[in-house]
Amino acid sequence: MRNLTPASITDAFAEYAKNAPSARTRSLLVSLAGHLHGFVRDNQVTQAEWNAAIDALTKAKDFTDDKRNEYILFSDLLGVSSLVDMVNAATTGTPSSVLGPFHIEGAPELANGGDLWRGQVGEPLVVSGSVKDDKGAPAKGTVLALWQNGGNGLYSQQDKTVSATNYHARLTVADDGSFAFSTVRPVSYTVPDDGPAGDMLRALGREAWRPAHLHMIVHAPGHKPVITEFFPEDDKYLDRDAVFGVRGPLVLPFHKVSDRAALPKNLAVLDKLPLPVWTARIDFTLPTA
Amino acid sequence: MRNLTPASITDAFAEYAKNAPSARTRSLLVSLAGHLHGFVRDNQVTQAEWNAAIDALTKAKDFTDDKRNEYILFSDLLGVSSLVDMVNAATTGTPSSVLGPFHIEGAPELANGGDLWRGQVGEPLVVSGSVKDDKGAPAKGTVLALWQNGGNGLYSQQDKTVSATNYHARLTVADDGSFAFSTVRPVSYTVPDDGPAGDMLRALGREAWRPAHLHMIVHAPGHKPVITEFFPEDDKYLDRDAVFGVRGPLVLPFHKVSDRAALPKNLAVLDKLPLPVWTARIDFTLPTA
């Protein structure tokens, strides 16, 4: 096309791509180009603004390595990661949420009733609950992948004083679908904001805080894994999560319990937990298969 | 917002940004997020497709250094750079086009009638023309920044056998607005396609070719610099320029001339150019001030 105009460039892009080997790839990239073109046209983006965008992407390379990815962080802070999660989510059962950067493969097994607290800094928390299918039947054989930060706000990957698998575990639920474990109460924390994604947050007048949460992947037989996270309802960042991960049904009451007899009987450290402890109940419903 | 949905996330993003220090920045980033959200929703982008996009951005860092920027190349190949040029272009006069990656500051001065050919490989080309304002008056004092590739398809930055300023020059037009110089005819060439932007081209069934062109920045007194490029009308890639830079009025006839008397008299190498030579005429009209 020799006579490109702002109005014709997306059609030209689509025409240039007419020989794309995959119809889906062509459709995706034509749509992406069209949305980017719309962004430039709608805003009459200046050369200086385009330069700032290129600079941010270029600077992001200096904040990206095998432990951190600034491009994912941009996607998270723009709500893109959360939206990709939502459009792929099941429409029934407990909602999914974003994976985040701290999941690890090969986490240690934790017996049902087991302990992640281990006397570490922070407020003790007892989590108990169940995994059931959409008809209320227990999802026997379900494995829960669990991970969270510690009472100091750090994930094990960020804390050189703890083992790489601290607060990471895999727990198989009981035959009746029930589970329990002790841990510390996770705390709200900031995503890394020392790079260009942090610059974007500041330009938006936003903060880097995420509300506290317990990550979970529910591996139930006969179902695709469900990636999700659960939030205490008293967290002050619920309504401004930096990465848009909060979903209403994932917000849980956390209760303070001073009566040891009210705690699950199968806790390995039932007698050792200093009272009062926080308790949370997670009753997970699987999506319709 | 605890009850984010695919339909509400853009509004949530805008609400989160209500304290942005700059209204323009807020407007730009809310629009960008909205367009990215629209892209995800329109296409029901899968996690695997999102992963592929993140992988491409992450891989691009290994193809970006002080000589090459894969993020700019993505922008170029998606038509974004060209569109930013178009929405900022003057609506009168000779059109602008994309800058490209090979412009340098501090190019050597070239006298009017001077020579960039210097007997180098390729077909000799004589360029002559004028710079006039919108009323046809000569734009005295105009400086033309010129750069192009050589007959081997390489810019000086890509060719270790030539000086860093080969085929780069700054030429001041005569008082009547006229100019002339000798050079080689630029040739069509491929943008670098060994990185993830090249992977995108292949996924689109596209080629990396750009039609041959002469780059020019026109610095006329009392006007903003006009960045543009001129193309020979017989180039076979005019209708599929990888970076969407072609504009109709920038396509010029190139003629083969065998009569030395038909060449501009002020050429420094008038007697030395082997005949026939290519000629091109560029009559540049400045935008209305």
Side-chain angles (χ1 to χ4, degrees):
Chain A
M1 305 274 274
R2 307 184 191 197
N3 289 301
L4 285 175
T5 66
S8 73
I9 192 166
T10 306
D11 287 343
F13 187 93
E15 169 67 15
Y16 285 15
K18 63 177 184 287
N19 297 320
S22 152
R24 171 67 176 172
T25 302
R26 177 176 188 264
S27 167
L28 279 171
L29 287 169
V30 170
S31 173
L32 178 63
H35 277 290
L36 292 173
H37 297 166
F39 167 69
V40 172
R41 269 194 312 266
D42 292 354
N43 298 283
Q44 298 284 300
V45 172
T46 68
Q47 288 285 354
E49 289 161 348
W50 178 87
N51 286 345
I54 294 293
D55 282 351
L57 287 167
T58 305
K59 196 173 167 193
K61 83 190 185 79
D62 298 327
F63 293 85
T64 300
D65 56 26
D66 57 351
K67 289 217 176 69
R68 172 171 170 185
N69 188 310
E70 194 79 353
Y71 303 99
I72 294 179
L73 186 56
F74 267 118
S75 169
D76 294 348
L77 301 179
L78 285 163
V80 173
S81 309
S82 175
L83 182 56
V84 171
D85 164 61
M86 286 193 280
V87 300
N88 289 288
T91 53
T92 61
T94 303
S96 60
S97 184
V98 292
L99 177 66
F102 296 117
H103 176 250
I104 60 171
E105 297 295 331
E109 288 196 21
L110 182 73
N112 191 1
D115 181 49
L116 296 176
W117 163 63
R118 294 168 45 224
Q120 295 179 91
V121 64
E123 300 179 276
L125 167 69
V126 171
V127 180
S128 59
S130 63
V131 183
K132 296 191 174 164
D133 68 17
D134 60 338
K135 294 180 182 64
K140 184 180 161 181
T142 292
V143 175
L144 304 176
L146 310 168
W147 70 105
Q148 63 169 87
N149 67 2
N152 60 0
L154 299 175
Y155 284 84
S156 62
Q157 288 94 327
Q158 302 171 308
D159 187 348
K160 289 181 182 157
T161 69
V162 301
S163 86
T165 59
N166 200 35
Y167 299 123
H168 291 267
R170 288 171 59 85
L171 182 156
T172 303
V173 305
D175 285 355
D176 65 355
S178 70
F179 66 90
F181 61 97
S182 46
T183 183
V184 300
R185 187 180 161 139
V187 299
S188 43
Y189 68 98
T190 53
V191 299
D193 65 351
D194 55 339
D199 294 338
M200 181 180 76
L201 277 184
R202 285 177 285 278
L204 287 164
R206 285 170 53 189
E207 294 178 318
W209 286 94
R210 291 213 68 200
H213 52 270
L214 295 156
H215 285 285
M216 195 177 286
I217 303 179
V218 182
H219 297 266
H223 288 79
K224 285 195 294 186
V226 181
I227 299 167
T228 193
E229 54 188 344
F230 296 94
F231 303 85
E233 72 175 8
D234 58 357
D235 195 288
K236 69 176 176 174
Y237 298 109
L238 282 177
D239 288 306
R240 43 181 162 142
D241 181 4
V243 309
F244 302 89
V246 181
R247 319 276 182 255
L250 303 178
V251 178
L252 307 172
F254 275 43
H255 299 292
K256 227 165 196 171
V257 168
S258 299
D259 177 6
R260 203 173 297 277
L263 298 177
K265 299 293 169 287
N266 66 338
L267 289 182
V269 293
L270 179 61
D271 298 331
K272 292 185 187 140
L273 288 170
L275 297 176
V277 298
W278 289 102
T279 62
R281 182 156 181 95
I282 297 176
D283 288 306
F284 194 95
T285 306
L286 293 168
T288 304
Chain B
M1 306 272 272
R2 307 183 189 198
N3 289 301
L4 286 176
T5 67
S8 72
I9 191 166
T10 306
D11 288 342
F13 187 93
E15 168 67 17
Y16 284 16
K18 64 177 184 286
N19 297 321
S22 153
R24 172 66 176 171
T25 302
R26 176 175 189 263
S27 167
L28 279 171
L29 287 169
V30 170
S31 173
L32 179 63
H35 277 289
L36 292 174
H37 297 165
F39 168 69
V40 172
R41 270 193 311 265
D42 292 354
N43 299 283
Q44 297 284 299
V45 173
T46 68
Q47 289 284 354
E49 288 161 348
W50 178 87
N51 287 344
I54 294 292
D55 282 351
L57 287 167
T58 306
K59 197 173 167 193
K61 83 190 185 78
D62 298 327
F63 294 84
T64 299
D65 56 27
D66 56 353
K67 289 217 177 67
R68 173 172 170 185
N69 188 312
E70 193 80 354
Y71 303 100
I72 294 179
L73 186 55
F74 268 117
S75 170
D76 294 347
L77 301 178
L78 284 163
V80 172
S81 308
S82 176
L83 182 55
V84 171
D85 165 61
M86 285 193 281
V87 300
N88 289 288
T91 54
T92 61
T94 303
S96 60
S97 184
V98 292
L99 176 66
F102 296 117
H103 177 250
I104 59 171
E105 297 296 331
E109 287 196 20
L110 183 73
N112 192 1
D115 181 50
L116 297 174
W117 163 63
R118 294 169 45 225
Q120 296 179 90
V121 65
E123 300 179 275
L125 167 69
V126 171
V127 180
S128 59
S130 62
V131 183
K132 297 192 173 162
D133 69 18
D134 60 338
K135 294 179 181 67
K140 183 180 161 181
T142 293
V143 175
L144 304 177
L146 311 167
W147 71 105
Q148 63 170 87
N149 67 3
N152 62 359
L154 299 176
Y155 285 84
S156 61
Q157 288 94 330
Q158 302 171 307
D159 187 348
K160 289 181 183 156
T161 70
V162 301
S163 85
T165 59
N166 200 34
Y167 300 123
H168 291 266
R170 288 170 60 84
L171 182 155
T172 302
V173 305
D175 284 355
D176 65 354
S178 70
F179 66 89
F181 61 97
S182 47
T183 183
V184 301
R185 188 182 159 136
V187 299
S188 45
Y189 67 98
T190 53
V191 299
D193 65 351
D194 55 337
D199 293 338
M200 182 180 76
L201 277 184
R202 284 178 285 278
L204 287 163
R206 284 170 53 190
E207 293 178 316
W209 286 94
R210 291 213 67 199
H213 51 270
L214 295 156
H215 285 284
M216 197 177 285
I217 303 178
V218 182
H219 298 265
H223 288 80
K224 284 193 295 185
V226 181
I227 299 166
T228 192
E229 54 189 342
F230 296 94
F231 304 86
E233 72 176 6
D234 59 357
D235 195 288
K236 68 177 178 175
Y237 299 108
L238 283 176
D239 288 306
R240 43 183 163 140
D241 180 5
V243 309
F244 302 88
V246 182
R247 319 275 181 256
L250 302 178
V251 177
L252 306 173
F254 276 43
H255 298 293
K256 228 166 195 171
V257 168
S258 299
D259 176 7
R260 204 174 296 275
L263 298 177
K265 299 294 169 285
N266 66 338
L267 290 183
V269 293
L270 179 61
D271 298 332
K272 293 186 188 138
L273 288 170
L275 297 174
V277 299
W278 290 102
T279 62
R281 180 155 184 98
I282 297 175
D283 287 307
F284 194 95
T285 306
L286 292 169
T288 304

